[in-house]
Each structure stands twice: as C-alpha cells, then as structure tokens.
Amino acid sequence: MNEIIKSLYDRKSVRVYEDRPIPEKMKQIILEAAAQAPSAGCQQLYTILDITDQKLKDELVKTCDNQPFIATAPMVLVFCADCKKWYDAYLEAGCSPRKPGVGDLMLAVTDTAIAAQNAVVAAQSFGIGSCYIGDIMENCEEQRRILNLPEYVFPAVMLVFGWPTKQQLERTKPQRCDQKHIVHENTYRSMDGNELREMFGYQCKNRSFEDWMNAFCNRKYDSDFAKEMTRSVGEYLKQFENE
C-alpha cells in the first residue's frame, strides 16, 4: 500500500488537539493544495475563509451546534460555494448574464467539496488532524451576519485542523459499510430489507436492527439540528430561484 492510499485509510475525524500552532508554511501548503483540486471548467467556484479571529471562532462554536473544540482548533477554514465572483466578473466585462441558478450552486458545491478534501489529504500528510463541521449550513441568518456572506455565496463546508492528541491517534477509526453495498454496477440498485439489515448489521452490535435504527433516526435524521439545517439551506436556495 503506497503512502497516499495508507493516509486515506488511516485518516479519521479529530476533535481534540494538542496546544500547539500549525506552522504558517504548512498552512499555506494546505491552502495551495486545496486550490490545486479539479474544478468545473477550472472556474474554482469557491472562496475559502481563513478564520483567524478568536472572537469569530467563539461565535462559530455557538452557530455550529455548540462544539467547543472549534474555538481551540489552531486552523479553521470555511469553504464557500461561490457563484457571485463569476457573475460579478461577467457584469464587469459588460456581459448580460442570467442570475445564478440551482444548477450553478450544485456545481459550485461540488467544486468546494473537492477543494476541501484536498486540504484534508494535504493536512493528513503532515500528521495534522481534521474534522468536517456540517453544522456550518445551519443558522443561515447568523452565519450570513458573522461571515458577511452576500447573495449567491453558500457556506458548504467547514473544516477544523490541529495536531491530534495521543488518545485521538490511538482511537479506532469507525468501521465503514462493506463495498458490495456501496458500489452498484452500471445502474442504481434499490436494496431490499434483508440487504439493508446486512449492510448496517455491524452497527447494531448487541441491539436489534429496529432498536439501533430508531435511536439513530431520532438522534440524527429527525433531530432538531437536522431540521434546522433543512430550513437554513432552504433559505440559501431562495437566492437561486430565478424567475
């Protein structure tokens, strides 16, 4: 197994960090690695917010479901799907562009997520841990205020980085589903009840499928934060509803 593949297998979310900074040179390499990601038409439909203000980190703790490790992470990046900068450039050049639509947003989100994952892989190569924060898509009004987000800019991905503690390094990485359930050949294949039970069986351990699935549904899918995320994303999408 080569070093890149090994790092992908070894990487896990890290939420506890040593109290030491990330050297500026490493930070710049991570940011440049993000910018080297493939993008649609080489447009780089994203803008990366480098959060260095401690007060802003403290606010992001509150707006991102009260996760205190955000405030202590030495590097915090918010990757925004940016449909504004090209639209502004078209106007600057005297074009008559249509307003950005949901298709443009989806393309930008894809660009943004690829760039973010490049940053994760680059950080992992230095031994720097990372964690995705999906809650950046919640609390639309507050995120817009504290990050000064204009129309056609959507905070798609947030990442925090730091040096993992010994406990985090030794923590077992969560198991993944068997590939046979994840990879479908040629076309999508809906799974029947037996296969669904088989796919998630490793999660249930000493509990029944029904008990585990109901608990997970209540904790994640039907949770207040999931409902808030849906509401907030709906608010962002209103910007992209062209007449």
Side-chain angles (χ1 to χ4, degrees):
M1 184 182 294
N2 66 44
E3 286 302 309
I4 294 176
I5 299 298
K6 185 178 185 303
S7 73
L8 294 174
Y9 276 65
D10 288 346
R11 190 268 167 192
K12 58 190 176 239
S13 295
V14 173
R15 297 177 176 84
V16 186
Y17 311 112
E18 293 183 352
D19 185 18
R20 59 181 172 122
I22 293 171
E24 186 63 26
K25 185 175 181 180
M26 286 186 180
K27 179 178 179 177
Q28 290 306 315
I29 290 171
I30 291 168
L31 289 167
E32 184 55 41
Q36 291 299 319
S39 68
C42 204
Q43 296 175 84
Q44 295 181 276
L45 295 165
Y46 52 82
T47 293
I48 303 170
L49 307 182
D50 178 14
I51 310 299
T52 58
D53 185 323
Q54 187 58 51
K55 290 182 179 179
L56 186 48
K57 286 185 182 180
D58 294 339
E59 286 200 73
L60 286 167
V61 169
K62 298 173 186 176
T63 59
C64 293
D65 204 30
N66 296 304
Q67 300 182 80
F69 68 95
I70 295 170
T72 58
M75 184 163 77
V76 176
L77 303 177
V78 178
F79 289 74
C80 297
D82 188 350
C83 296
K84 173 180 166 60
K85 59 183 177 182
W86 279 89
Y87 182 68
D88 288 350
Y90 293 140
L91 293 175
E92 176 66 20
C95 304
S96 300
R98 59 177 175 78
K99 291 184 178 179
V102 290
D104 304 297
L105 175 61
M106 291 299 101
L107 201 62
V109 168
T110 300
D111 268 16
T112 307
I114 297 169
Q117 185 61 14
N118 259 31
V120 165
V121 174
Q124 184 73 16
S125 75
F126 290 129
I128 298 170
S130 60
C131 185
Y132 279 95
I133 309 293
D135 305 274
I136 193 65
M137 291 186 283
E138 296 175 36
N139 298 305
C140 168
E141 295 79 9
E142 285 301 292
Q143 310 294 22
R144 277 176 169 165
R145 178 185 66 81
I146 66 175
L147 299 175
N148 192 31
L149 300 176
E151 279 196 327
Y152 309 129
V153 176
F154 171 60
V157 175
M158 180 172 165
L159 279 166
V160 296
F161 300 84
W163 300 101
T165 61
K166 184 174 184 292
Q167 181 273 335
Q168 288 286 291
L169 286 172
E170 295 176 351
R171 181 174 56 85
T172 301
K173 180 175 179 173
Q175 185 178 338
R176 270 35 177 182
C177 292
D178 194 291
Q179 191 180 94
K180 67 182 180 181
H181 304 301
I182 301 299
V183 181
H184 300 184
E185 187 171 359
N186 294 322
T187 58
Y188 186 88
R189 171 179 56 79
S190 293
M191 291 178 273
D192 62 20
N194 288 334
E195 186 172 359
L196 291 170
R197 288 169 182 271
E198 180 186 357
M199 178 170 65
F200 294 113
Y202 74 94
Q203 295 272 24
C204 301
K205 297 182 173 59
N206 297 323
R207 305 171 68 180
S208 70
F209 173 81
E210 288 78 10
D211 282 349
W212 183 86
M213 193 58 71
N214 273 277
F216 192 86
C217 182
N218 291 332
R219 182 167 62 90
K220 288 284 189 179
Y221 189 75
D222 281 337
S223 66
D224 289 340
F225 74 78
K227 293 172 183 175
E228 167 55 26
M229 186 177 293
T230 295
R231 183 202 69 81
S232 281
V233 172
E235 285 298 310
Y236 285 115
L237 284 172
K238 287 178 182 178
Q239 302 170 80
F240 297 90
E241 293 175 356
N242 295 331
E243 295 180 1

